[in-house]
Amino acid sequence: MSGGVEWALHCCVVLTSVDEPAPAARLAQLHDVSPSYLAKQLQALSRADLIRSVQGKAGGYVLTRPPSEITVLDVVEAIEGPGPAFICTEIRQRGPMATPPEACTAPCAISRAMANAEVQWRAALREVTIANLADDVRGDYGPGALAGIGTWFREDS
Amino acid sequence: MSGGVEWALHCCVVLTSVDEPAPAARLAQLHDVSPSYLAKQLQALSRADLIRSVQGKAGGYVLTRPPSEITVLDVVEAIEGPGPAFICTEIRQRGPMATPPEACTAPCAISRAMANAEVQWRAALREVTIANLADDVRGDYGPGALAGIGTWFREDS
DNA sequence: GGGCAAGTACTCGGATAGGCCCTGTCCGAGTACGGCCGG
DNA sequence: CCGGCCGTACTCGGACAGGGCCTATCCGAGTACTTGCCC
């Protein structure tokens, strides 16, 4: 799985506690990661309409929806792409004992098993929202953790 | 996800209906895939003790256990590796607002959410065995489908 | 003092190279079978 | 006719290149703020 997913999720949680637009360079500085590459991930989130870009001098990125309406699955699909991880190449229709195409109306048993597992995976990710993550962070490190990041964005350095 | 997983699963299902050792070249011919590359996947299954190799002139691969005791998860982990797909790089401990290491005894909320989703995914794959897949194949295409493959292995061509 | 306009500096966005892992391939080590020879 | 031995042919196993996607980077287009000027 792409490592950019972790960066994107952290950025979404941070955006929860910042009402002003947050520039990509500042987010990269906060996480100590490559600014250029993080910009690419944020562009992917922007294309998926999870965040909106504000141009100009005091511009940056802002969440387009309340954090409780953005799921972890949304972020993962925005970065990794909406397609399934397992792709059936229909090898049952190849070779000397190939299954005739007219008998292949339904996906094969292997494809069904893998697809079902991915459904379970997606369901688990869909149950967790960015707001849930932010609440968990407050519970783990205290309410001031996210608030401190919010104020840090207004400082210079 | 590696495409070799699909090949490996199909090979395991085929091995269900073949009691004699099945050579890798014959399995590749049956599925019309690269013999050399399929050999690599079968070696991975052998290292995981899911199949056992029989050397010599009439050698090949045989399942080491009853098909009902081999899960799809076993095959996936043998090919893809047992490690998790999402790897937390602990970026919460980096940057100017880094969380102190003594507060990082438990995984972060993002890591927990992703790990939980993978647990669900693994659980779904663990519920399906190779025997279940073989039964589904018989249900989909008739009982003679797998049996025909079994007899095909004894023919020349 | 207020309004307007130009300049500036900061922002995002897409197009562009490099590295690592998956894909695909090859040849060598090892072993069971088949044939041959000797008893 | 039977047993032992050798040759062969077939098998797996690990080591070796090529391609594609992820990682990382850069520069250009666009916009809001600031500043200076004019009325």
Side-chain angles (χ1 to χ4, degrees):
Chain A
M1 164 156 335
S2 171
V5 172
E6 184 185 9
W7 298 8
L9 284 169
H10 274 273
C11 286
C12 286
V13 173
V14 168
L15 287 178
T16 296
S17 63
V18 181
D19 284 340
E20 309 167 8
R26 209 73 205 273
L27 287 166
Q29 184 184 359
L30 174 65
H31 298 94
D32 189 24
V33 297
S34 166
S36 307
Y37 188 40
L38 182 63
K40 179 178 276 294
Q41 315 299 340
L42 294 172
Q43 285 168 29
L45 294 180
S46 179
R47 271 177 231 143
D49 282 328
L50 300 179
I51 61 178
R52 180 156 294 280
S53 67
V54 178
Q55 289 263 4
K57 190 167 188 176
Y61 288 102
V62 187
L63 293 176
T64 56
R65 307 188 197 185
S68 59
E69 296 178 8
I70 300 177
T71 68
V72 174
L73 180 63
D74 292 330
V75 177
V76 171
E77 286 189 338
I79 304 294
E80 292 277 301
F86 179 87
I87 299 170
C88 180
T89 59
E90 290 292 333
I91 63 179
R92 63 178 170 174
Q93 298 186 28
R94 301 171 56 178
M97 296 294 287
T99 304
E102 59 265 23
C104 297
T105 56
C108 70
I110 291 172
S111 180
R112 278 178 301 196
M114 300 298 290
N116 183 47
E118 284 198 31
V119 166
Q120 301 294 107
W121 180 70
R122 284 189 162 79
L125 291 182
R126 205 194 313 273
E127 292 299 313
V128 182
T129 68
I130 301 298
N132 295 138
L133 292 178
D135 288 344
D136 288 355
V137 169
R138 292 194 193 90
D140 287 347
Y141 315 119
L146 274 180
I149 290 176
T151 60
W152 176 84
F153 263 83
R154 290 156 187 78
E155 302 171 1
D156 289 342
S157 70
Chain B
M1 166 158 330
S2 171
V5 172
E6 185 186 9
W7 299 7
L9 285 169
H10 274 274
C11 287
C12 287
V13 173
V14 168
L15 287 177
T16 297
S17 62
V18 181
D19 285 340
E20 307 168 9
R26 210 72 206 275
L27 287 166
Q29 184 184 358
L30 174 65
H31 297 93
D32 189 24
V33 297
S34 167
S36 308
Y37 189 40
L38 181 63
K40 179 179 277 294
Q41 314 299 339
L42 294 172
Q43 286 169 27
L45 294 180
S46 178
R47 272 177 231 145
D49 282 328
L50 300 179
I51 60 177
R52 182 157 291 280
S53 66
V54 178
Q55 287 263 4
K57 191 166 187 177
Y61 287 102
V62 188
L63 293 175
T64 56
R65 307 188 195 186
S68 59
E69 295 178 9
I70 300 176
T71 68
V72 174
L73 179 62
D74 292 330
V75 176
V76 171
E77 286 189 339
I79 303 294
E80 292 278 301
F86 179 86
I87 298 171
C88 180
T89 58
E90 290 292 335
I91 64 179
R92 62 178 170 175
Q93 298 186 29
R94 300 171 56 180
M97 296 295 286
T99 304
E102 59 264 23
C104 296
T105 56
C108 71
I110 291 172
S111 180
R112 279 178 301 196
M114 299 299 291
N116 182 47
E118 285 197 30
V119 166
Q120 300 294 106
W121 179 71
R122 284 190 161 79
L125 292 182
R126 205 194 314 273
E127 292 299 313
V128 183
T129 68
I130 301 298
N132 295 138
L133 292 178
D135 288 344
D136 288 354
V137 169
R138 292 194 194 91
D140 286 346
Y141 314 119
L146 274 180
I149 290 177
T151 59
W152 176 85
F153 262 85
R154 288 155 188 80
E155 303 171 0
D156 288 344
S157 71

